[in-house]
Amino acid sequence: MLDLLRDIGLAFCPASVRASNRPNSSLHVLWAATLTGVLQTVVFSRWLVHSVLAFLAVRAGQYGNVLQRQNETTQIWFFVVFGFEYVLAHPLAWLLVYLSFEGIVRFAAGLCISEVIPSLPVVLGFKVVYRLRSRGTRRDLRAAATVPDALEVLPGERMRIAAALAKTRWKASLTIAIGGECYEVEGEEQGRAPRPYIYVLRKAPIGKALRGHEEYDLAATVKQ
């Protein structure tokens, strides 16, 4: 049951979310998108009609005396104008119109071409969440960039360097120049915040062929 409810929820989500959170059944997601499209159209179109009728009832009470003196055609035109006034002046009406139309599109896409069309409000919600997460990630990276490395000299002409940010270029093929000496990566360890990336370096053999070279700035380290 929970898997079915999860698949129904994924029917409203963008393809990127379905790719990272695989549904229990792709067929369930397709049928959920198709059937909820019908349900979406029915619910929001009825809500729209009810809201318009309530608005027209208010306008009829305000202009009842004027409308009673007009012929039937004029009265119909008045109500048409009031209907457009409601749609144009009320943001909720725009949302209800869109969601009703979106339901038709989701139903037709699922039935005719077997395609899952996500719901735009859900897509926008995920975009906002991703934007906030990426902003938080960039903020964390900027904060981590201000944390200097910690260097520890080990026996056997080795050293351990703990860093707040991963040194993606530091592989076994890279030669790292530190204080005029050449080192290579012997291994990596997992550390604790604020320096979770730990690299163990050893003296590079003199005759080693250089496939990559990097100068390491000792001024950016904190010696322990």
Side-chain angles (χ1 to χ4, degrees):
M1 184 63 181
L2 292 178
D3 289 336
L4 178 60
L5 293 176
R6 181 174 178 272
D7 288 348
I8 294 175
L10 288 173
F12 292 89
C13 299
S16 59
V17 174
R18 297 197 302 273
S20 58
N21 300 270
R22 303 297 297 178
N24 182 59
S25 171
S26 299
L27 184 60
H28 288 169
V29 174
L30 174 62
W31 280 109
T34 305
L35 297 178
T36 56
V38 177
L39 182 62
Q40 178 179 334
T41 298
V42 171
V43 170
F44 289 107
S45 60
R46 290 190 62 180
W47 187 355
L48 176 64
V49 170
H50 176 76
S51 300
V52 171
L53 292 178
F55 178 79
L56 293 179
V58 173
R59 283 290 185 262
Q62 294 174 339
Y63 296 95
N65 294 332
V66 176
L67 292 175
Q68 289 176 0
R69 295 195 295 267
Q70 307 300 322
N71 57 43
E72 184 176 343
T73 301
T74 303
Q75 291 177 357
I76 293 175
W77 276 109
F78 263 101
F79 282 106
V80 170
V81 171
F82 292 152
F84 275 106
E85 177 191 359
Y86 174 80
V87 172
L88 294 175
H90 292 75
L92 177 61
W94 287 92
L95 179 62
L96 295 178
V97 170
Y98 171 77
L99 291 175
S100 300
F101 178 74
E102 180 188 85
I104 297 175
V105 173
R106 296 179 68 233
F107 168 74
L111 186 64
C112 299
I113 60 177
S114 298
E115 182 176 350
V116 177
I117 302 296
S119 179
L120 181 60
V122 177
V123 172
L124 295 178
F126 275 105
K127 285 185 178 295
V128 171
V129 172
Y130 290 152
R131 181 65 60 86
L132 293 176
R133 285 182 178 176
S134 62
R135 184 179 300 175
T137 300
R138 290 195 298 269
R139 184 169 57 249
D140 293 341
L141 289 176
R142 288 195 297 268
T146 63
V147 179
D149 295 349
L151 185 148
E152 178 185 1
V153 177
L154 303 176
E157 297 185 315
R158 297 160 64 243
M159 63 177 60
R160 179 185 288 114
I161 295 178
L165 296 175
K167 300 182 184 296
T168 55
R169 294 188 67 242
W170 283 25
K171 304 298 181 183
S173 60
L174 181 72
T175 298
I176 306 162
I178 303 177
E181 300 289 345
C182 292
Y183 292 85
E184 63 182 3
V185 177
E186 180 182 272
E188 299 181 21
E189 300 176 359
Q190 183 66 38
R192 296 182 179 180
R195 300 180 181 89
Y197 303 97
I198 298 178
Y199 301 87
V200 178
L201 308 182
R202 64 187 175 192
K203 268 291 190 64
I206 298 177
K208 180 181 179 181
L210 297 180
R211 284 181 286 172
H213 182 270
E214 179 178 310
E215 291 282 345
Y216 183 73
D217 186 8
L218 274 176
T221 67
V222 177
K223 294 185 179 180
Q224 296 182 343

